[in-house]
């Protein structure tokens, strides 16, 4: 991984900064924003779509959600109809650009690579890495400390035990380097 | 909250259809059948001719349904070609459909891409991130899946999404600006 993340500047007018340090781009679409919880110091980049109107979405602290991502609670079919289930994303999660996240829950310290599709009702456990351009089929459980990739996603290799410190480092330094243009 | 106003469009929406206005991009002549649900962030581009979307379709976010001219042709010389999408299709998040004829009950999974010369019959499933740009008519109940685009034939067509459509028809109007049924048109002001 990189030793030092580059500084990323943004126009101050483009982002809303909340009291708890969340930075949400104005161009993102937050449907049902009363159902969306960002725990703090989370960055949501441009053109993201978070569907809080379908079900509650809870995103942990120090997360980074890349551009054009779609975060959509999964639905489950019952005999009498469908229901959209609340979705939970842990702390220090780095979701790269253009991902489609339909997972039931994403643990903490997870890195989701660019352009991946996470199927319905998946469970991604802590400290895992999803390679870019992967497709995770519905209802998969991705174990901790693994790297999954491909379409359909398969186990690639183990993720080192330093994953937790790595993700904390990446997300915190991304947040610190995400500075408004003066 | 209105659709992109830098293009001219004319959209006819049947009663019972719900079209979310947010980030909606409409170009050209479009007709949307009843009970069709269109989520925010969709682009429907009827550049080379009108697009007729049938009943009961589910079009999710970031979808692009486009009737475009083939590249490299003289646009003034081309006639209008109609694009017809049947009933009960599902276009999942980020899918792109340029096929001129789409039948009923097809599913285009997340980020699937279907080119102009493909014809989807009924019950076809194009798997996530699969891209179909061949010149062919896909037989009924074909499934295309995986990074190497394997194909199989299902014994039965995919299930209807009526439950999800009903649920969305109830909750979408409460939390989104939704285009009402009727005809809505906007012409580009002459520059």
């Amino acid at each position: 991984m990189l030793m030092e993340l580059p500084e990323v500047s943004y126009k101050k007018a483009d982002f809303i900064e909340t009291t708890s340090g969340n930075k949400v781009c104005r161009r993102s679409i937050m449907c049902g924003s009363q159902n969306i919880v960002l725990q703090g110091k989370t960055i949501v980049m441009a053109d993201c779509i978070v569907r809080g109107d379908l079900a509650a979405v809870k995103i942990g602290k120090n997360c980074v959600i890349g551009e054009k991502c779609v975060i959509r609670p999964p639905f489950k079919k019952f005999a009498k109809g469908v229901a959209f289930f609340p979705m939970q994303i842990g702390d220090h999660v780095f979701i790269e650009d253009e991902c489609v996240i339909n997972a039931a829950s994403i643990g903490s310290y997870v890195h989701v690579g660019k352009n991946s599709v996470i199927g319905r009702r998946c469970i991604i456990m802590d400290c895992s890495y999803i390679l870019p351009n992967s497709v995770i089929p519905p209802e998969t459980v991705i174990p901790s400390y693994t790297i999954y990739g491909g379409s359909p996603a398969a186990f690639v290799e183990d993720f080192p035990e330093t994953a937790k410190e790595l993700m904390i480092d990446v997300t915190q330094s991304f947040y610190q380097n995400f500075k408004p243009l003066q | 909250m209105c659709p992109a106003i830098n293009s001219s469009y004319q959209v006819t929406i049947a009663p019972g259809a719900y079209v979310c206005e947010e980030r909606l991009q409409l170009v050209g002549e479009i007709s949307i059948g009843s009970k069709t649900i269109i989520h925010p962030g969709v682009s429907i581009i009827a550049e080379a001719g009108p697009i007729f979307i049938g009943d009961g379709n589910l079009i999710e976010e970031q979808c692009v349904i486009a009737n475009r001219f083939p590249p490299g042709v003289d646009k003034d010389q081309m006639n209008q070609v109609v694009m017809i999408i049947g009933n009960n299709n599902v276009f999942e998040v980020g899918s792109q459909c340029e096929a001129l004829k789409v039948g009923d009950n097809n599913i285009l999974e997340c980020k699937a891409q279907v080119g102009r010369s493909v014809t989807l019959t009924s019950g076809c499933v194009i798997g996530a991130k699969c891209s179909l740009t061949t010149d062919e008519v896909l037989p009924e109940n074909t499934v295309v899946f995986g990074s190497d685009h394997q194909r199989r034939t299902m014994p039965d067509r995919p299930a209807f999404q009526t439950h999800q459509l009903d649920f969305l028809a109830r909750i979408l109007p409460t939390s989104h600006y939704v285009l009402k049924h009727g005809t809505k048109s906007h012409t580009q002001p002459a520059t």
Side-chain angles (χ1 to χ4, degrees):
Chain A
M1 290 287 295
L2 303 166
M3 296 310 285
E4 187 72 46
L5 282 173
E7 246 187 49
V8 181
S9 303
Y10 63 95
K11 279 196 222 150
K12 203 151 184 194
D14 280 348
F15 276 75
I16 303 171
E17 187 165 344
T18 68
T19 44
S20 40
N22 297 311
K23 295 188 179 172
V24 179
C25 183
R26 285 181 202 274
R27 276 190 56 83
S28 61
I29 303 177
M30 295 272 174
C31 306
S33 44
Q34 65 272 25
N35 287 336
I36 303 176
V37 176
L38 303 172
Q39 299 278 31
K41 298 202 171 175
T42 293
I43 300 177
V44 179
M45 308 283 254
D47 293 325
C48 284
I49 303 180
V50 182
R51 299 298 305 270
D53 56 321
L54 302 172
V57 175
K58 192 169 170 194
I59 300 178
K61 59 180 165 62
N62 266 310
C63 291
V64 178
I65 301 183
E67 297 193 358
K68 300 205 175 107
C69 284
V70 177
I71 299 196
R72 208 172 197 267
F75 70 92
K76 184 180 161 76
K77 268 192 204 136
F78 293 98
K80 290 185 186 168
V82 299
F84 281 85
F85 270 67
M87 183 180 186
Q88 204 165 9
I89 298 181
D91 303 329
H92 299 282
V93 173
F94 197 110
I95 299 177
E96 293 192 22
D97 301 341
E98 296 182 26
C99 293
V100 177
I101 314 267
N102 274 323
S105 79
I106 298 184
S108 304
Y109 319 110
V110 172
H111 184 176
V112 180
K114 194 168 168 169
N115 218 349
S116 352
V117 174
I118 304 202
R120 254 187 320 117
R121 306 213 301 131
C122 279
I123 299 179
I124 302 182
M125 315 225 56
D126 297 348
C127 301
S128 49
Y129 177 28
I130 313 290
L131 289 174
N133 293 312
S134 49
V135 175
I136 316 266
E139 314 208 17
T140 329
V141 177
I142 307 242
S144 299
Y145 295 102
T146 52
I147 299 181
Y148 265 63
S151 163
F155 175 79
V156 174
E157 60 180 311
D158 282 316
F159 208 28
E161 280 113 28
T162 51
K164 182 172 164 183
E165 283 79 25
L166 197 71
M167 290 312 298
I168 296 177
D169 198 26
V170 167
T171 48
Q172 278 182 345
S173 54
F174 190 93
Y175 186 84
Q176 278 157 11
N177 288 342
F178 195 66
K179 294 197 175 114
L181 286 168
Q182 294 303 344
Chain B
M1 283 296 161
C2 47
I5 53 170
N6 54 353
S7 55
S8 50
Y9 60 86
Q10 184 191 357
V11 61
T12 307
I13 302 177
Y18 293 99
V19 181
C20 289
E21 274 194 337
E22 222 162 348
R23 294 290 164 84
L24 177 67
Q25 189 188 7
L26 299 171
V27 176
E29 197 186 320
I30 300 162
S31 162
I32 298 177
S34 70
K35 298 210 174 161
T36 294
I37 305 262
I38 298 188
H39 285 262
V42 168
S43 299
I44 305 183
I45 299 174
E47 191 187 66
I51 296 181
F52 292 104
I53 300 180
D55 304 335
N57 294 301
L58 179 58
I59 303 177
E60 299 190 349
E61 295 93 337
Q62 292 184 348
C63 277
V64 176
I65 298 185
N67 184 4
R68 286 191 230 265
F69 291 114
V73 296
D74 187 358
K75 290 185 183 169
D76 295 327
Q77 302 280 352
M78 298 287 290
N79 289 325
Q80 298 264 298
V81 184
V82 176
M83 179 176 178
I84 301 179
I85 295 181
N87 306 326
N88 297 310
N89 297 300
V90 177
F91 297 86
E92 290 194 14
V93 177
S95 51
Q96 294 187 25
C97 180
E98 302 207 5
L100 285 177
K101 275 205 184 59
V102 177
D104 304 336
N105 280 319
N106 299 298
I107 298 183
L108 262 71
E109 292 195 357
C110 294
K111 297 192 184 241
Q113 292 179 3
V114 177
R116 190 178 174 81
S117 28
V118 180
T119 302
L120 295 178
T121 47
S122 302
C124 300
V125 178
I126 313 291
K129 283 176 147 254
C130 288
S131 165
L132 228 58
T133 45
T134 49
D135 184 0
E136 65 176 312
V137 175
L138 223 59
E140 295 200 1
N141 297 337
T142 309
V143 182
V144 180
F145 61 98
S147 47
D148 40 359
H149 295 79
Q150 294 172 53
R151 294 191 184 191
R152 280 189 58 199
T153 308
M154 289 195 294
D156 215 356
R157 56 164 171 73
F160 284 128
Q161 294 287 335
T162 18
H163 285 311
Q164 204 189 152
L165 289 171
D166 289 339
F167 181 86
L168 292 170
R170 269 184 290 128
I171 65 154
L172 272 187
T174 58
S175 43
H176 289 270
Y177 290 104
V178 171
L179 285 179
K180 291 199 173 66
H181 76 87
T183 307
K184 183 176 165 117
S185 58
H186 172 85
T187 23
Q188 174 114 5
T191 43

